[in-house]
Amino acid sequence: AGHANWRAHRVAAGLLRPGVRPVDLEAAISASLRRSGAEPLFQGVVGHSGSPYPAVSCISVNEGAVHGIPGTSPLRSGDVVSIDLGCRLAGWCADSAETHIVGMGRPRDIQLVNATRATLDLAIRATATSRCWSDVVQQVASFLHGAGFQLIPTVFGHGIGEELHEAPQVALAFDIPMAEFQDFELKPGIVFTIEPVLTTGNGSLRVADDGWTLETADGHPAAHCEHTIALTTAAPRILTRGP
């Protein structure tokens, strides 16, 4: 399942250029998952508004942070595009997200995307030497303190296995306005996602008019990176990276 997710991301990344529409990326992602024999998991999920999600992937552009419905407006050079997708294959689920910049990006946006990737990489590495999840969160907080970007605290990772969303909740911040921070022991056999979402703004979100997209309230761009990882006796294994 992780490899199927990775292949679909590679297909989408290969199409990214000015003039391409998010719905075109959605069609390519859907076709890639079908070729892998994988079942897409986002389509049909019922959200807080009571409406089912209408697409296979989430494609969030610029101020869109997560859950963006793929649209028909052509992408422009400099757009910050986050692609999130999940699938099930042979009974097991995988979930991952990547953020790209179309064409020539602004220096600050390039730094934002690089910092989001670095935050994810740091968190994954930290699971190998930490006793519990709160130890990882402390290391992420120290890194972000000097990075100059704001973590959006209300977007969580999650346990994953036979279902897309399982326990535990995997928050990257201690101070969560909407939920209580959940700590858990890091031990072999646990499989979960880590998904930092960073922004150049203050980190607050609002629901867009489509009822699904969570966008930054101040209009600043956001970047979203995610991997599904499995903790083993040797090292964390990234399941949504290429074979």
Side-chain angles (χ1 to χ4, degrees), residues 8-17 20-31 33 42-43 53-76 79-86 95-102 195 197 208 210 212-215 222-224 226:
H9 272 295
R10 299 284 64 73
V11 168
L15 296 174
L16 272 173
R17 62 183 182 274
V20 169
R21 304 173 302 166
V23 290
D24 300 326
L25 302 177
E26 158 76 5
I29 288 168
S30 180
L33 292 179
F42 293 175
Q43 193 167 34
Y53 188 72
V56 166
S57 63
C58 297
I59 303 179
S60 307
V61 181
N62 294 327
E63 69 273 14
V66 290
H67 303 164
I69 298 174
T72 58
S73 297
L75 297 172
R76 299 171 297 178
D79 281 345
V80 180
V81 181
S82 298
I83 301 173
D84 186 9
L85 60 105
D95 187 7
S96 58
E98 297 182 3
T99 296
H100 311 270
I101 296 181
V102 180
E195 48 181 311
V197 182
D210 62 18
W212 271 100
T213 306
L214 292 178
E215 60 185 19
H224 177 202
E226 175 187 20

Side-chain angles (χ1 to χ4, degrees), residues 55-168:
V56 166
S57 63
C58 297
I59 303 179
S60 307
V61 181
N62 294 327
E63 69 273 14
V66 290
H67 303 164
I69 298 174
T72 58
S73 297
L75 297 172
R76 299 171 297 178
S77 183
D79 281 345
V80 180
V81 181
S82 298
I83 301 173
D84 186 9
L85 60 105
C87 71
R88 181 185 286 113
L89 184 60
W92 300 102
C93 301
D95 187 7
S96 58
E98 297 182 3
T99 296
H100 311 270
I101 296 181
V102 180
M104 296 294 293
R106 292 172 288 273
R108 185 65 170 163
D109 293 342
I110 294 172
Q111 293 170 357
L112 170 67
V113 174
N114 288 340
T116 308
R117 291 171 180 163
T119 301
L120 176 58
D121 290 343
L122 168 68
I124 293 172
R125 291 196 308 271
T127 61
T129 57
S130 300
R131 184 185 62 82
C132 57
W133 179 247
S134 57
D135 297 334
V136 176
V137 174
Q138 287 179 331
Q139 294 185 53
V140 168
S142 297
F143 171 75
L144 291 176
H145 181 72
F149 298 100
Q150 177 64 48
L151 176 76
I152 295 177
T154 51
V155 179
F156 310 135
H158 49 88
I160 187 169
E162 294 180 318
E163 300 296 332
L164 176 63
H165 293 108
E166 298 181 356

